[in-house]
Amino acid sequence: MSLEQNKNSAIAFYEMAYNGNPKKAIENFVGKEYIQHNPDVADGTWGFINYFERMHAEYPNKSIEFIRCIAEGDLVALHTHQTWPDQDEYVTMDFFKFDDNGKICEHWDVIQQIPKVSKNLNTMY
């Protein structure tokens, strides 16, 4: 798979899961194995599905914007802006590893709430 295909797959996978269809995201974009490094999400595909189904049920009006997508080798990094209820905003970095068949097989992430006050005028993007 090409870097561009991996980038498109990572965005489609994340957007599909985030917007309420994690089962389809797994079916379309994940290979035989899915290793999860986020300590709040159980390992494997069912851990992912359960987490995103619960998140969508609890917060159906959240939104996501993809700011950047960077690919190198078998890795894709997504830099996103998430808006949650009560205008809570977060910056996230998600990293996806792809297998030899162009399917996602591993995930890492970091998340930071955007503070209401900043000591500088720079954005977090």
Side-chain angles (χ1 to χ4, degrees):
M1 301 297 286
S2 74
L3 293 178
E4 200 61 34
Q5 288 171 312
N6 286 352
K7 288 166 67 173
N8 291 336
S9 291
I11 290 170
F13 170 73
Y14 199 97
E15 189 169 42
M16 190 176 290
Y18 192 86
N19 289 323
N21 203 342
K23 286 181 186 174
K24 186 174 180 184
I26 291 290
E27 290 170 9
N28 291 354
F29 300 104
V30 172
K32 293 179 182 178
E33 143 177 88
Y34 183 75
I35 300 168
Q36 177 63 257
H37 294 276
N38 180 325
D40 292 327
V41 182
D43 203 22
T45 57
W46 282 109
F48 177 88
I49 290 167
N50 291 336
Y51 177 83
F52 275 92
E53 283 181 344
R54 186 183 75 249
M55 185 175 67
H56 184 70
E58 292 174 3
Y59 306 101
N61 297 321
K62 66 193 176 316
S63 65
I64 188 168
E65 178 185 358
F66 295 92
I67 306 299
R68 304 188 168 79
C69 183
I70 302 166
E72 180 180 5
D74 61 0
L75 296 173
V76 172
L78 298 179
H79 193 195
T80 70
H81 178 200
Q82 297 182 15
T83 304
W84 289 67
D86 300 323
Q87 295 304 305
D88 280 339
E89 295 181 273
Y90 295 86
V91 173
T92 66
M93 286 294 301
D94 286 86
F95 298 87
F96 299 95
K97 182 176 180 180
F98 284 76
D99 65 19
D100 293 337
N101 297 314
K103 298 291 187 175
I104 295 169
C105 62
E106 200 161 357
H107 171 259
W108 301 260
D109 65 359
V110 292
I111 186 167
Q112 179 180 357
Q113 188 169 20
I114 297 173
K116 304 290 184 208
V117 177
S118 175
K119 293 184 179 182
N120 62 63
L121 299 177
N122 304 318
T123 69
M124 295 182 72
Y125 300 102

